[in-house]
């Protein structure tokens, strides 16, 4: 029985490895981070590229290097945040030194159209 499960799971592992995109080359001491940004939906609707550029500027001012940013979706929020009922979710990846994250986090908190954000390694 262990022979059947071992042979049946092997192709799945190979297929998953084949579809994984390559990791970017990071500078020495930098880590790859992912951030979920929750923006005011009106700001994102008016000019999405301007909003994305503002997020890129937040990361770069803090000492990070922007990799990509993708619009996830616009949704009705479960509860109002800063008196807003709809939000635009944007997911992005960037590289930065671990000590730069505090500065990026502070810059993000000062950005008015940003409702919430979370940065993960």
């Amino acid at each position: 029985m262990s022979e059947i499960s071992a042979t049946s799971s092997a192709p799945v592992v190979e297929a998953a490895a084949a579809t994984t995109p390559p990791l970017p080359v990071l500078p020495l001491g930098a880590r790859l981070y992912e951030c979920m940004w929750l923006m005011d939906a009106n700001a994102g609707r008016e000019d999405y590229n301007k909003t994305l550029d503002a997020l890129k500027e937040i990361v770069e001012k803090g000492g990070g290097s922007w990799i990509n940013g993708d619009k996830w979706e616009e949704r009705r929020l479960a509860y109002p945040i800063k008196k807003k009922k709809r939000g635009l979710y944007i997911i992005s990846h960037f590289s930065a030194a671990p000590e730069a994250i505090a500065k990026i986090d502070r810059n993000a908190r000062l950005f008015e159209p940003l409702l919430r954000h979370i940065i993960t390694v």
Side-chain angles (χ1 to χ4, degrees):
M1 182 168 247
S2 63
E3 291 178 27
I4 294 171
S5 63
T7 57
S8 64
S9 65
V12 174
V13 173
E14 291 173 12
T19 60
T20 305
L23 290 174
V25 178
L26 301 175
L28 188 63
R31 290 185 179 171
L32 182 64
Y33 292 94
E34 178 178 86
C35 186
M36 176 66 72
W37 311 90
L38 176 58
M39 303 291 298
D40 176 19
N42 293 330
R45 234 184 273 130
E46 288 174 12
D47 192 0
Y48 174 72
N49 291 329
K50 183 179 174 185
T51 302
L52 203 58
D53 289 341
L55 295 177
K56 183 177 179 180
E57 185 179 335
I58 288 171
V59 170
E60 290 175 349
K61 269 187 183 178
S65 177
W66 185 266
I67 296 173
N68 69 353
D70 296 318
K71 182 178 179 179
W72 196 27
E73 67 180 329
E74 182 180 328
R75 298 187 75 170
R76 183 177 170 274
L77 301 175
Y79 55 90
I81 301 173
K82 295 183 182 177
K83 299 182 182 178
K84 306 293 181 187
K85 294 183 180 182
R86 296 194 65 77
L88 174 67
Y89 289 86
I90 298 173
I91 189 164
S92 69
H93 297 92
F94 63 91
S95 63
E99 52 273 2
I101 297 302
K103 191 171 181 182
I104 293 170
D105 185 52
R106 183 179 184 287
N107 290 340
R109 290 177 193 273
L110 295 174
F111 185 53
E112 189 64 32
L114 186 63
L115 302 176
R116 295 276 194 273
H117 69 283
I118 186 167
I119 302 172
T120 57
V121 177

